[in-house]
């Protein structure tokens, strides 16, 4: 018996066939495809093809999907997903269940990644855990008393949109001074291009050209000693430190896992700098807080989606069939 | 059968005899005394006298005490309590159990107040709740999924020491830019006296003289249209708004209760301003968040201590006897 997990990203679809039973989770097979732009029907079609490429549905109990944006995990509806260009609710769970003839569970991709790091990654066995995904945006998930915290509206964990400098730098969400304003890859790229245009030349723009300023470009520019990259990452580390310290103080946490595109790429040394930044801001000086690098990388979303599907059935959550 | 709750404050001891059984909590009798300065033994003596003044221990199942500072509620030890001048651990639970010949449960006073507002006050019946005590400092307690969140080290809820302006105004705790830096009565008094000395005369200092700038003096100065009081309270409302908004975004909360000396004194209109300040900073624009005034006032600590004692025995927590 196996579960299939699918991480539905803005640019790619990552799938994994997973054996979730017992304490250990084994990834049996994996595969990926580009995410088709446009209509939800095209995404459903591509996921169907990916599932068949992964060996089909024989012996598969259920399919879990992690989707970017706001998801009602009880109905499997994606309420809105700007990264996919979906501004209206999409009943993705029902559509996929019809197309596949299988049980489908849909959840938020960050929740899926959090469950994966808690179940099988760097947060394994911990009772309380904050997982921070530091990438284009800054997402997060919370495990409290051993369970994923969703909250009544399902958006718990949004550490990227907590305030570290009230009235400060604009955030993509329309507010100001958020962790993501200073630490998200998109905000860093905007700021780097602005400084470059204003006469502060930076290798970040030279390396990226007119293309996307990817995480590896930040790593390269830091290695080269680029002043703008160093200054921007210093601000990012301070913002992550302040936001995570506030979460730790509010919830009395002792473990944080830091991953995501930038977190994974900049590596353990940068995670250590973030830990130091958090610790220097902690109210409880006796805190045992540790910040650990995430360990599942790109696979966390697909793996987590499979685990979420497994757990949803175990909890007898209503799922379309 | 009754439970006795004692709120051990820096200046006064408030006691209450409470019937905790069933859904409703009835306060049967109350009483108060000044907190004796100095040694823990004097506090134990005064609590013993207060308990006898309240009718003694016949029919009393247990005594609960809410103490200011860090408390290990499992052992009843006050680890440190600067407001009482206690810098070393005090086994208050054991000392009181010996003196009274009764079962004693000791917890943090803010936890007790939170439990009271959740059980019997403005947060009654809510599954998730943040209670903010806006007074000399800014304390807080969290109820998540119907249970008080303590965290592994027992300091969860410290919203006063979350960051709203990284690197900003100094906080009494030694860090900077906390909610309490801008909103705590002690910080407001410091700032008002500073501005007064620097040539910005304010009714706050005129009314307080060399005495403590009490909550009612802030209420009076606001009524008088005092410019410094207005400016300082505007900053306080912004800081409370940013800190509470971050907590709501991190945890997906829809209910906050605001009390404490300043919160109670400045009243429902000010609580409404804080609600507006929070809402203007919320990531989730669809949030149903409400900020309600606390309803138990001064009695919340004693009432909550009795409820905490009741719940501790129901949970079979180890207590000294």
């Amino acid at each position: 018996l196996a579960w299939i997990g699918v991480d539905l990203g803005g640019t790619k679809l990552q799938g994994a066939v997973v054996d979730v039973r017992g304490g250990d989770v084994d990834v049996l097979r994996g595969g990926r495809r580009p995410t088709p732009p446009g209509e939800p029907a095209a995404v459903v079609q591509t996921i169907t093809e990916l599932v068949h490429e992964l060996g089909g549905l024989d012996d598969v109990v259920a399919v879990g999907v992690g989707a970017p944006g706001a998801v009602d995990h009880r109905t499997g509806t994606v309420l809105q997903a700007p990264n996919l260009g979906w501004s209206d609710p999409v009943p993705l769970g029902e559509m996929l269940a019809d197309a596949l003839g299988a049980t489908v569970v849909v959840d938020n991709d960050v929740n899926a990644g959090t469950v994966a790091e808690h179940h099988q990654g760097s947060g394994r066995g911990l009772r309380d855990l904050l997982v921070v995904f530091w990438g284009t945006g800054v997402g997060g998930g919370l495990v409290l008393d051993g369970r994923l915290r969703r909250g009544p509206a399902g958006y718990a964990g949004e550490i990227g949109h907590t305030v570290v400098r009230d009235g400060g730098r604009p955030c993509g969400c329309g507010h100001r001074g958020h962790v993501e304003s200073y630490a998200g890859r998109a905000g860093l790229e905007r700021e780097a291009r602005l400084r470059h245009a204003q006469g502060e030349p930076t290798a970040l723009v030279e390396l990226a050209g007119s293309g996307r300023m990817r995480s590896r470009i930040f790593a390269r520019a830091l290695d080269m000693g680029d002043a703008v990259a160093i200054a921007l990452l210093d601000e990012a580390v301070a913002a992550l430190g302040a936001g995570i310290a506030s979460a730790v103080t509010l919830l009395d946490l002792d473990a944080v896992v830091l991953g995501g595109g930038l977190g994974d790429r900049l590596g353990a040394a940068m995670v250590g700098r973030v830990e130091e930044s958090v610790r220097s801001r902690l109210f409880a000086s006796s805190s045992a807080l540790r910040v650990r690098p995430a360990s599942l990388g790109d696979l966390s979303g697909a793996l987590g989606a499979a685990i979420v599907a497994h757990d949803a059935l175990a909890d007898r959550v209503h799922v379309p069939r």
Side-chain angles (χ1 to χ4, degrees), chain A:
Chain A
L1 287 179
W3 282 255
I4 289 182
V6 176
D7 185 19
L8 167 53
T11 54
K12 69 171 197 287
L13 275 157
Q14 170 77 50
V17 183
V18 177
D19 183 350
V20 188
R21 291 166 301 173
D24 271 312
V25 172
D26 290 319
V27 176
L28 308 176
R29 288 180 296 286
R32 56 166 67 182
R33 301 203 156 207
T35 302
E39 291 303 303
V43 167
V44 169
Q45 174 64 28
T46 305
I47 292 178
T48 305
E49 289 165 17
L50 181 61
V51 164
H52 287 292
E53 182 186 311
L54 288 170
L57 289 159
D58 295 347
D59 301 327
V60 168
V61 179
V63 176
V65 179
V71 177
D72 183 339
H73 76 283
R74 285 159 299 202
T75 61
T77 301
V78 178
L79 301 172
Q80 62 181 93
N83 286 358
L84 300 172
W86 299 356
S87 48
D88 292 322
V90 171
L92 184 63
E94 270 182 46
M95 291 170 74
L96 263 176
D98 285 350
L100 292 169
T103 301
V104 176
V105 176
V106 184
D107 204 335
N108 171 268
D109 56 352
V110 172
N111 282 349
T114 298
V115 166
E117 286 291 341
H118 180 239
H119 197 289
Q120 195 72 0
S122 297
R124 192 168 177 172
L126 298 176
R127 189 166 173 79
D128 296 298
L129 179 67
L130 168 65
V131 184
V132 178
F133 294 94
W134 180 19
T136 301
V138 177
L142 278 169
V143 175
L144 299 177
D145 289 331
R147 290 180 66 90
L148 183 70
R149 164 84 190 169
R150 296 176 185 280
Y155 65 77
E158 286 285 6
I159 192 162
H161 298 284
T162 60
V163 176
V164 290
R165 192 161 302 180
D166 195 33
R169 192 182 291 171
C171 185
C173 73
H175 291 276
R176 285 179 170 272
H178 287 175
V179 172
E180 186 170 306
S181 314
Y182 298 95
R185 201 202 49 73
L188 293 169
E189 172 166 355
R190 208 162 43 233
E191 194 68 19
R193 291 192 186 278
L194 188 70
R195 295 192 187 191
H196 193 78
Q198 291 175 344
E200 271 190 274
T202 166
L204 289 167
V205 173
E206 285 150 19
L207 292 167
S210 62
R212 206 165 77 121
M213 199 175 284
R214 300 169 71 91
S215 296
R216 63 167 169 264
I217 291 177
F218 284 93
R220 284 266 299 284
L222 282 181
D223 284 345
M224 292 162 65
D226 180 76
V228 169
I230 290 171
L232 289 179
L233 265 302
D234 282 353
E235 288 182 328
V237 167
L240 286 165
I244 294 172
S246 290
V248 166
T249 295
L250 184 68
L251 291 166
D252 183 14
L253 300 172
D254 47 25
V256 173
V257 167
L258 180 60
L262 266 173
D264 290 348
R265 177 65 69 168
L266 299 178
M270 185 60 81
V271 173
R273 285 188 56 197
V274 171
E275 178 176 283
E276 208 176 298
S277 172
V278 176
R279 292 196 61 88
S280 74
R281 289 170 170 83
L282 282 184
F283 171 62
S285 51
S286 61
S287 169
L289 179 81
R290 287 285 313 279
V291 180
R292 306 155 200 240
S295 53
L296 300 174
D298 242 16
L299 208 63
S300 70
L303 185 53
I307 300 171
V308 164
H310 171 270
D311 291 354
L313 297 188
D315 279 359
R316 296 168 191 278
V317 166
H318 165 76
V319 286
R321 165 93 214 191

